[in-house]
Amino acid sequence: MMPNNKRSNVNTGQEKTLSRRKFMQMAGGGMALLTIPGANIFAREATRVTGDAKQAGRPKIVWVMLRGGLDSMHTIVPEFDPQYRKLRPNLSASFHSPLLPLARGFSLHPSLSTMHKWYQQKSLLPVVAVSSGYQERSHFDAQDFLESGLGNIDHDSGWLARAIAVNNQSALAVSRTVPISLRSAANVDTWFPSNLKDGDQSLYSALQDLYQYHPRMNESLQSGLKVKGLVDDDIVTRRQGNFMQLCKSAGQIMVADKGPDCVMLELGGWDTHNSQGNRLDRQLKQLDDGLATLQSTLGQQWQQTVVMIATEFGRTAKENGTAGTDHGTASGMFIAGGAVKGGRVLGSWPGLKTEQLLAGRDLMPTSNMFGWIGNVLAEHWQLSEQQIAQIFPHMKPYRESLIQKPA
């Protein structure tokens, strides 16, 4: 409903009028700002003790959801397993550059050069043969299951939302709507670049006049203007939602004064039923370039940041007849960041013999994503066993040493 365009000024007795036509004309060039639903992370007061309030000392988390089902065996490659090339004669020969060596006979896809550098710097932990516990093959249900983190699907409560709630923290979703991972928490905002033409200063001045008697709308407007000043909302970002640019904007928002404690990013395009070799070359490079940009933008904050990267399920162990793979079960995940005690490959490898596969077709899961995520939350955010139980009531955290101790 359009706000009343004529209202008394209690201070001067004068009336200010903004015609509907003028407002709509200007709004056509300025709704890019209004696509920021609130961005109240910049308006609310800090609710925790943060020392000198400098962002660089606060532990941060970035949650990256890869939607579509990443093929982990083409990403964290089990070259040592003699069944690997037998199951994948074409895919195993489709790499255009040498694989990047990891521990235990695994290798990293050549498109992941930044992530391999992190591994060498002991800031990356690849985890093999993981799953959320979901046992079917629906993308949407599997994603909902992973984001809810309850051992079942709950569209109204996400594990990351519960994590920030128990520790009184804030979060930002780089998304047009709040993803399930962040639903149910109060301190959550969303941001995503708009495709619409940017507005000029006259629009923002008119909106300030219009909202001067609406405290909540005015607060959102001021917060939106502040976000607009923080991010590089260029034409490439607005038109494409380019992952590298989204990572840059996320980093800029995170390091701002009173920026969020965690950010969620999403990247689709991982459902590789055909032409997987070339498609994953491009997809993994896009992921790698985005993460490199995130690190650069975070600056010193990188040393207190953990990035967790996961997907809803893996792919079949055997390649199909169209140079791709089909929906499977176990996949891989990554734990990265300056705060990570990396340089290892985690997770037990189940083997690729027919009798070692799940139902004779899928990589068998040997650990649960929620156990690893709970492990990170317990160490990085110093959450207690009772707090972790509120986040993951069906899964205890693992007790691996994943995070560097503060100097």
Side-chain angles (χ1 to χ4, degrees):
M1 183 175 181
M2 179 66 64
N4 190 345
N5 62 11
K6 189 172 185 179
R7 186 174 295 273
S8 297
N9 186 312
V10 294
N11 294 321
T12 66
Q14 298 176 343
E15 294 181 342
K16 295 183 178 180
T17 302
L18 177 66
S19 74
R20 179 184 178 90
R21 177 180 298 175
K22 183 177 180 182
F23 175 77
M24 294 305 293
Q25 286 174 341
M26 291 189 296
M31 293 300 287
L33 169 65
L34 301 182
T35 60
I36 304 167
N40 291 322
I41 49 178
F42 301 102
R44 59 173 75 97
E45 292 296 322
T47 54
R48 297 187 297 123
V49 176
T50 57
D52 60 2
K54 290 183 179 178
Q55 291 294 311
R58 293 169 58 186
K60 307 257 186 174
I61 285 177
V62 179
W63 165 235
V64 182
M65 180 83 175
L66 305 181
R67 299 191 184 276
L70 167 69
D71 181 14
S72 66
M73 287 175 53
H74 202 78
T75 307
I76 310 167
V77 184
E79 286 193 284
F80 65 93
D81 194 312
Q83 299 299 314
Y84 164 67
R85 287 180 175 80
K86 294 179 181 179
L87 291 169
R88 298 182 167 210
N90 296 303
L91 287 177
S92 64
S94 68
F95 300 104
H96 298 304
S97 301
L99 295 169
L100 306 172
L102 303 171
R104 297 171 50 192
F106 291 97
S107 296
L108 206 59
H109 191 286
S111 292
L112 299 175
S113 57
T114 294
M115 295 179 71
H116 188 249
K117 180 179 70 175
W118 292 351
Y119 178 83
Q120 294 174 317
Q121 295 171 345
K122 301 190 184 306
S123 295
L124 176 74
L125 292 166
V127 189
V128 298
V130 299
S131 83
S132 67
Y134 177 77
Q135 298 179 355
E136 304 298 331
R137 305 192 189 281
S138 163
H139 284 296
F140 300 113
D141 287 349
Q143 290 171 24
D144 294 351
F145 191 99
L146 173 57
E147 292 193 76
S148 118
L150 292 169
N152 55 60
I153 296 173
D154 186 337
H155 293 101
D156 298 321
S157 179
W159 68 262
L160 189 51
R162 296 191 297 276
I164 66 171
V166 298
N167 211 29
N168 198 20
Q169 292 174 300
S170 61
L172 174 77
V174 181
S175 175
R176 290 183 174 88
T177 59
V178 177
I180 292 174
S181 294
L182 283 166
R183 289 183 190 170
S184 77
N187 293 347
V188 175
D189 290 282
T190 62
W191 174 84
F192 200 82
S194 170
N195 289 329
L196 299 175
K197 182 182 177 182
D198 201 7
D200 57 26
Q201 189 58 44
S202 62
L203 169 65
Y204 304 135
S205 297
L207 287 174
Q208 287 174 326
D209 285 344
L210 186 67
Y211 294 160
Q212 63 179 310
Y213 300 108
H214 297 271
R216 291 183 63 185
M217 295 179 75
N218 187 55
E219 179 184 59
S220 291
L221 174 63
Q222 298 304 324
S223 298
L225 286 168
K226 186 165 186 178
V227 174
K228 181 177 173 59
L230 288 170
V231 301
D232 294 334
D233 191 15
D234 59 29
I235 193 67
V236 174
T237 309
R238 292 199 298 271
R239 286 182 177 173
Q240 301 178 6
N242 180 280
F243 186 68
M244 185 169 68
Q245 291 294 333
L246 293 179
C247 286
K248 182 175 182 179
S249 296
Q252 290 170 330
I253 293 171
M254 288 185 77
V255 299
D257 184 37
K258 299 179 184 177
D261 298 290
C262 64
V263 165
M264 179 177 175
L265 289 154
E266 304 167 279
L267 182 60
W270 303 96
D271 196 17
T272 51
H273 288 282
N274 54 66
S275 306
Q276 178 173 295
N278 290 332
R279 291 173 65 186
L280 282 188
D281 283 350
R282 296 189 299 269
Q283 281 290 116
L284 291 169
K285 187 176 189 312
Q286 184 179 189
L287 174 65
D288 196 69
D289 288 347
L291 294 174
T293 300
L294 178 68
Q295 179 190 19
S296 174
T297 308
L298 287 176
Q300 292 183 349
Q301 180 60 56
W302 176 252
Q303 295 306 121
Q304 286 76 39
T305 298
V306 173
V307 182
M308 292 186 284
I309 306 162
T311 191
E312 69 263 29
F313 51 52
R315 319 293 297 186
T316 48
K318 185 177 181 179
E319 64 183 42
N320 62 26
T322 56
T325 52
D326 300 318
H327 298 180
T329 305
S331 186
M333 67 180 294
F334 294 99
I335 302 168
V340 170
K341 188 187 295 184
R344 299 167 285 158
V345 177
L346 302 179
S348 299
W349 184 248
L352 294 175
K353 294 179 181 178
T354 302
E355 64 271 20
Q356 295 172 321
L357 298 174
L358 180 63
R361 71 188 295 277
D362 296 347
L363 184 64
M364 180 75 72
T366 59
S367 64
N368 191 290
M369 295 181 198
F370 302 131
W372 295 112
I373 294 170
N375 195 152
V376 169
L377 294 174
E379 283 195 276
H380 192 51
W381 277 356
Q382 298 294 299
L383 300 188
S384 68
E385 187 174 329
Q386 291 74 23
Q387 289 174 314
I388 297 294
Q390 295 179 54
I391 303 165
F392 300 119
H394 72 298
M395 174 64 60
K396 290 186 177 181
Y398 298 135
R399 296 185 179 275
E400 190 80 28
S401 178
L402 306 179
I403 306 300
Q404 300 277 6
K405 292 182 180 179

